[in-house]
Amino acid sequence: VKEKLSGLDLNAKPVAFVAGGAGFVGSNLVRRLLAEGWNVFVADNFSLGSADLLDSVSANNSLEIVEADLSLRTSALECFSQCARVFGDIDDVWHLAANSDIPAGVTDPNVDLKDTFMTTFALLEACKAWDVKNFHFASSSAVYGQWDGEAGLSETLGPLRPISNYGAMKLASEAQISAACEAFLSRVNIFRFPNVIGTPATHGVIYDFVKRLLDQPTILQVLGNGTQQKSYLHVSELVDAMLFISQHDSPSGGYPQILNIGNDDDGVSVKFIAEQVVKEIAPLAEIRYGSESKGWIGDIPRFSYNTDRLKAIGWRPKLTSKASVERAVFEIASQLK
Amino acid sequence: VKEKLSGLDLNAKPVAFVAGGAGFVGSNLVRRLLAEGWNVFVADNFSLGSADLLDSVSANNSLEIVEADLSLRTSALECFSQCARVFGDIDDVWHLAANSDIPAGVTDPNVDLKDTFMTTFALLEACKAWDVKNFHFASSSAVYGQWDGEAGLSETLGPLRPISNYGAMKLASEAQISAACEAFLSRVNIFRFPNVIGTPATHGVIYDFVKRLLDQPTILQVLGNGTQQKSYLHVSELVDAMLFISQHDSPSGGYPQILNIGNDDDGVSVKFIAEQVVKEIAPLAEIRYGSESKGWIGDIPRFSYNTDRLKAIGWRPKLTSKASVERAVFEIASQLK
């Protein structure tokens, strides 16, 4: 633990606790919060994330990073206590800790139970104990399940029938947060994340394709037949949207604000992504497709978002899904090369 | 454990595993399943239920009752194993185990986590291990949260924002069951229970009123101002609906069937219930009301159901909310006197 200034300059800053702050989205959020003048306490189990992702800001006195298993109540409470000692009372909790390896959770539901749901449960217990009122949660489009023929998934859809344990535990988290909102929280945002891309990438379709092609530059084997079509959002825009919403929301009156964040365009196909990666890494490689329209159990082959609520608040993305993919392919190729 | 016949007559019967079968709804379901020719294996932690509730059928060789904490994976697996030894492979799991003391769960969320959600989680793990395909779950209207001005809550409403940990853990259970349906279950019904009344009562507003008035026959103190208005269903009708649906459903194609069960009338007020109880127990008692429109955190002051889906399947209740309350008051008074 690096030495901290104890001066007024730190104490005057608001304090953000970022669970999962060393992950892909988390590390981007942390950098943005620091830039906007927050003290930021990061707790992460470093299972998929890594303190390395925060190297560029590790010297910043307004940042504290600890390794912790937030699925344990005692551990969550200890982190809150430590944050209070370093920066003072927590103003906002940003909960981005989760298992992000969806197939792993399909194989063993305990992975999502522990890393996705129990982190939520324990963080809420800690918020109650420490009287923290503001809670922002990274939910997911995976809560919707598969809606064939539904043009754009809106927040008012029901019933929700997630098809992966990942989606199930995100929905379970939403439910528990909702009850906590009635009982003791006062400002709550539940962000239903889209497919998010960019760097520092730790997983995901572009990351996989780039890695495979760097290993074996002549062939790119694609799981599924390549027709899976999804919309994508660049991580810089996701973080921008979260901050924007957190600055434009209002006391929730006992309810969480639930919002889709994403592009509402038709998205791009896996084929398009594969072609972009090939163009960037190994233009002569052959792309081989599978025969299934789905990649794996829990995968959603087609999906597009309705983001009318988000637009009504005043935020919309600058990049299309296509432009986001092109940018992310370039960035991830640079990261992994 | 009583001696079992090992003859063909038992082996020819289908096998139902009823989690929470010694509770209020569970014991009614068990009696009905026995009457319809099932072998029934009951596992219950006897926290709110009791083997006494099954006294009338305890001599039946098609019934086995064990005490078990189904929130533990090992315990759920052991129960499935025991059921297989006694009756053979399980055909249908009926999951009615839950914490039914909603205020207790508001005070300590671990109660609902363990008894309502972890029972679901562990039972699904056991179903996967034992290749059980048919799963029926007792969910609740509490998953909806509060919808002011919504005439009738339908299954297509969203987003769901439960206001009690009880409702949250029922919704979490729905989510996990939905993912299991995609992965390994093949016939799944999720019943969203209404307010259910009847005997053998273990809790609930009528039970409370009757008990209080038997203790103190001159005054009935009512939590809240009495205007809370809800629809009620008699437990005999609920069980009838569940059986009907389970006999008229079809393989779910990867999705659970989610259905409201209940009356779709305007319901009755707490005031009406209080007056019925007073009339039955102590006609001269004074009824004193509180000033709040809600009874406690997590209570829903007004609620009515849309049951169009249920009617489309071909089931509708015979008793109105009013008639159900009148019958239940009489029955519960007889039970407790």
Side-chain angles (χ1 to χ4, degrees):
Chain A
V1 178
K2 67 176 175 287
E3 226 174 280
K4 289 284 165 192
L5 295 174
S6 58
L8 278 172
D9 54 335
L10 277 187
N11 293 338
K13 289 182 174 184
V15 178
F17 183 100
V18 184
F24 162 46
V25 177
S27 61
N28 280 280
L29 174 66
V30 166
R31 274 191 291 272
R32 178 72 185 265
L33 286 169
L34 288 170
E36 300 214 350
W38 289 74
N39 286 321
V40 181
F41 190 97
V42 169
D44 201 296
N45 68 358
F46 300 141
S47 66
L48 289 153
S50 157
D52 298 350
L53 306 194
L54 291 167
D55 268 353
S56 67
V57 285
S58 61
N60 192 321
N61 281 308
S62 283
L63 174 65
E64 182 78 32
I65 307 171
V66 301
E67 180 170 2
D69 179 357
L70 293 172
S71 69
L72 303 171
R73 182 176 188 274
T74 47
S75 176
L77 285 169
E78 172 51 31
C79 284
F80 273 47
S81 173
Q82 203 172 331
C83 179
R85 284 197 302 276
V86 176
F87 294 129
D89 286 346
I90 297 170
D91 295 290
D92 287 47
V93 167
W94 295 82
H95 175 23
L96 286 79
N99 168 49
S100 52
D101 183 350
I102 302 183
V106 171
T107 307
D108 179 6
N110 289 287
V111 175
D112 291 309
L113 172 68
K114 182 176 159 299
D115 290 345
T116 303
F117 178 65
M118 289 310 300
T119 52
T120 305
F121 193 88
L123 282 169
L124 291 172
E125 294 239 273
C127 285
K128 192 178 180 185
W130 281 84
D131 204 27
V132 174
K133 296 293 185 193
N134 306 320
F135 197 92
H136 311 283
F137 175 61
S139 187
S140 166
S141 61
V143 300
Y144 289 106
Q146 197 167 325
W147 289 80
D148 293 326
E150 193 77 33
L153 305 182
S154 85
E155 298 89 344
T156 56
L157 275 182
L160 298 187
R161 299 180 296 184
I163 64 169
S164 64
N165 293 319
Y166 172 80
M169 292 301 90
K170 285 291 188 188
L171 183 53
S173 295
E174 289 194 2
Q176 190 66 13
I177 291 165
S178 180
C181 195
E182 164 81 6
F184 58 88
L185 296 172
S186 60
R187 256 181 69 230
V188 178
N189 289 302
I190 291 177
F191 306 115
R192 289 182 176 165
F193 282 14
N195 298 291
V196 186
I197 52 181
T199 49
T202 58
H203 63 281
V205 60
I206 300 176
Y207 180 85
D208 287 347
F209 285 178
V210 170
K211 274 203 107 166
R212 277 190 238 160
L213 215 48
L214 288 174
D215 286 351
Q216 154 69 288
T218 56
I219 289 167
L220 177 62
Q221 182 68 50
V222 174
L223 211 62
N225 63 10
T227 60
Q228 302 104 302
Q229 178 111 358
K230 300 179 184 181
S231 65
Y232 292 89
L233 189 70
H234 194 272
V235 66
S236 59
E237 303 223 78
L238 175 68
V239 167
D240 192 64
M242 287 195 286
L243 264 292
F244 182 90
I245 295 161
S246 75
Q247 287 153 2
H248 290 79
D249 62 5
S250 48
S252 58
Y255 286 110
Q257 171 165 259
I258 299 182
L259 282 172
N260 289 342
I261 300 181
N263 261 303
D264 62 357
D265 57 24
D266 286 343
V268 300
S269 66
V270 170
K271 185 165 174 286
F272 174 80
I273 297 174
E275 288 166 356
Q276 295 305 307
V277 173
V278 162
K279 198 166 76 181
E280 184 69 35
I281 306 281
L284 299 176
E286 179 199 348
I287 305 176
R288 288 189 191 156
Y289 296 97
S291 57
E292 299 291 314
S293 64
K294 281 181 172 193
W296 27 267
I297 290 180
D299 190 29
I300 310 270
R302 290 187 76 86
F303 138 85
S304 73
Y305 251 167
N306 175 314
T307 55
D308 291 348
R309 282 192 182 192
L310 183 61
K311 288 180 195 158
I313 293 179
W315 190 92
R316 59 181 69 219
K318 292 176 195 75
L319 301 174
T320 61
S321 290
K322 207 179 152 195
S324 302
V325 165
E326 288 166 340
R327 182 168 155 189
V329 166
F330 173 77
E331 291 169 341
I332 294 173
S334 308
Q335 175 195 335
L336 294 178
K337 260 177 194 165
Chain B
V1 179
K2 65 176 177 289
E3 226 176 278
K4 291 283 162 192
L5 295 175
S6 60
L8 278 173
D9 52 334
L10 275 187
N11 293 338
K13 290 182 174 184
V15 179
F17 182 99
V18 184
F24 162 46
V25 177
S27 61
N28 280 280
L29 174 66
V30 166
R31 274 191 292 271
R32 178 73 184 265
L33 286 168
L34 288 170
E36 301 213 350
W38 289 73
N39 287 322
V40 181
F41 190 96
V42 169
D44 201 296
N45 68 357
F46 300 141
S47 65
L48 289 153
S50 157
D52 297 349
L53 306 194
L54 292 167
D55 268 353
S56 67
V57 286
S58 61
N60 192 321
N61 280 308
S62 283
L63 175 65
E64 183 78 30
I65 307 171
V66 301
E67 181 170 0
D69 178 358
L70 293 172
S71 69
L72 303 171
R73 183 176 187 275
T74 49
S75 177
L77 285 168
E78 171 52 30
C79 285
F80 274 45
S81 173
Q82 203 172 329
C83 179
R85 286 196 301 276
V86 177
F87 294 128
D89 286 345
I90 297 170
D91 294 289
D92 286 47
V93 167
W94 295 82
H95 174 24
L96 287 79
N99 167 50
S100 53
D101 182 350
I102 302 183
V106 171
T107 307
D108 179 8
N110 289 286
V111 175
D112 292 309
L113 172 67
K114 182 176 160 298
D115 291 345
T116 303
F117 178 65
M118 288 310 300
T119 52
T120 305
F121 193 87
L123 283 168
L124 290 172
E125 295 239 273
C127 285
K128 191 177 181 184
W130 281 84
D131 203 26
V132 175
K133 296 293 186 192
N134 306 320
F135 197 92
H136 311 283
F137 175 61
S139 188
S140 165
S141 62
V143 300
Y144 289 106
Q146 198 168 325
W147 290 79
D148 293 325
E150 193 77 32
L153 305 182
S154 85
E155 298 88 344
T156 56
L157 274 183
L160 298 186
R161 298 180 295 186
I163 63 170
S164 63
N165 293 319
Y166 172 82
M169 292 300 90
K170 285 291 187 188
L171 182 53
S173 295
E174 289 194 2
Q176 189 67 12
I177 292 165
S178 180
C181 195
E182 163 82 5
F184 57 88
L185 296 172
S186 60
R187 254 182 70 232
V188 178
N189 288 302
I190 290 176
F191 306 115
R192 288 183 177 165
F193 282 14
N195 298 291
V196 187
I197 52 180
T199 50
T202 58
H203 64 280
V205 58
I206 300 176
Y207 180 83
D208 285 347
F209 285 176
V210 170
K211 276 204 106 167
R212 277 190 239 160
L213 214 48
L214 289 173
D215 286 351
Q216 154 69 289
T218 57
I219 289 168
L220 178 62
Q221 182 69 50
V222 174
L223 211 62
N225 63 10
T227 59
Q228 302 104 303
Q229 178 110 357
K230 300 180 184 181
S231 65
Y232 292 89
L233 189 71
H234 194 271
V235 66
S236 59
E237 302 223 80
L238 175 69
V239 167
D240 193 67
M242 287 194 286
L243 264 291
F244 182 91
I245 295 162
S246 74
Q247 288 153 3
H248 290 79
D249 62 6
S250 49
S252 56
Y255 287 109
Q257 170 164 257
I258 299 182
L259 281 172
N260 289 343
I261 301 181
N263 262 303
D264 61 357
D265 57 23
D266 287 342
V268 300
S269 65
V270 170
K271 184 165 176 285
F272 174 81
I273 297 174
E275 287 166 355
Q276 294 305 305
V277 173
V278 162
K279 198 165 79 180
E280 186 68 35
I281 307 282
L284 299 176
E286 179 200 348
I287 305 176
R288 288 190 192 155
Y289 296 98
S291 56
E292 299 290 316
S293 64
K294 284 181 169 192
W296 27 267
I297 291 180
D299 190 28
I300 310 270
R302 292 187 76 86
F303 138 85
S304 74
Y305 251 165
N306 176 315
T307 57
D308 291 349
R309 283 193 181 190
L310 183 60
K311 288 180 196 160
I313 294 179
W315 190 91
R316 56 183 70 218
K318 292 175 196 75
L319 301 174
T320 61
S321 289
K322 206 178 151 192
S324 302
V325 166
E326 286 166 342
R327 182 168 154 191
V329 166
F330 173 77
E331 291 170 341
I332 294 173
S334 308
Q335 175 194 335
L336 294 179
K337 260 176 196 167

